[in-house]
Amino acid sequence: MSSSQNAVNIAILQTQTSLLNNTLSSLSDSVSGLTNIVSQNSSSVLTLCSQYDQLKLQQTTDMQAISSLQTVVDNNCLLQSSPVNVNGQTSGVIQYIYINSGLYKKYVFAFQSYVNNTTTNQNISLPLAFNNTPILNTNINLTFTVTVNDLQIVSPNSLVPYDGILILEGI
């Protein structure tokens, strides 16, 4: 080989070496960039995992609180599961529910087309007696008497239907 041919080959090798060095430098920069991306994503993934664990712990705490509250309600507040129906002396219905939270008791009576066209008062025995005479609130234009054990509807001796609410509450 001639020296001019050697010089050309050396120049070609130097150019290829320079191109390879540039390519390696680019690849190194790309690998470094990818490493930074993976590192950032790993940090984000760890943060998300930590947040997920905190939310799961909070959900467990919330569920425990709800369960505890439900236990307190179940143990201290007995709401009759279904309304009790009482037929009116002549026609109509009186429907009621009651709440017992230990000391406090409450009855809610709903009168629907209630009629008593007799001279007989209608008595409703209360399943849970009050300790003291309860407070009576109503929007019904009838006369009532109440004891710790009973609600008495004084007969209007009339065909007029009555609708409304009566509430007894007390201890």
Side-chain angles (χ1 to χ4, degrees):
M1 239 189 237
S2 68
S3 67
S4 66
Q5 183 66 33
N6 280 341
V8 169
N9 286 341
I10 289 174
I12 291 172
L13 284 174
Q14 287 174 338
T15 302
Q16 289 176 340
T17 301
S18 177
L19 287 173
L20 283 172
N21 282 335
N22 287 341
T23 302
L24 285 173
S25 177
S26 267
L27 285 173
S28 177
D29 289 344
S30 295
V31 167
S32 177
L34 287 173
T35 301
N36 286 339
I37 290 170
V38 167
S39 174
Q40 290 170 356
N41 285 336
S42 291
S43 176
S44 296
V45 167
L46 289 174
T47 300
L48 287 173
C49 288
S50 174
Q51 289 172 348
Y52 172 79
D53 288 343
Q54 288 173 355
L55 288 172
K56 195 170 180 181
L57 178 63
Q58 182 62 45
Q59 179 187 20
T60 300
T61 303
D62 290 347
M63 293 304 290
Q64 289 169 341
I66 290 169
S67 178
S68 294
L69 180 59
Q70 184 64 48
T71 300
V72 168
V73 169
D74 288 345
N75 290 339
N76 294 300
C77 185
L78 169 67
L79 173 62
Q80 178 149 334
S81 60
S82 59
V84 176
N85 290 319
V86 177
N87 291 326
Q89 196 76 356
T90 302
S91 65
V93 172
I94 304 167
Q95 190 175 72
Y96 71 91
I97 61 169
Y98 59 89
I99 298 169
N100 174 19
S101 67
L103 186 60
Y104 174 79
K105 295 172 186 73
K106 182 175 191 172
Y107 287 82
V108 179
F109 295 85
F111 286 66
Q112 183 176 13
S113 300
Y114 174 82
V115 176
N116 185 348
N117 189 27
T118 72
T119 57
T120 305
N121 297 336
Q122 184 166 2
N123 291 310
I124 299 174
S125 294
L126 304 175
L128 296 171
F130 289 95
N131 295 333
N132 299 314
T133 303
I135 297 168
L136 185 148
N137 290 304
T138 188
N139 65 353
I140 306 167
N141 192 21
L142 285 170
T143 303
F144 301 94
T145 58
V146 64
T147 68
V148 294
N149 295 310
D150 299 294
L151 170 67
Q152 183 180 70
I153 307 161
V154 177
S155 175
N157 195 12
S158 160
L159 287 173
V160 174
Y162 293 91
D163 295 291
I165 299 291
L166 177 137
I167 298 171
L168 298 177
E169 60 186 325
I171 56 172

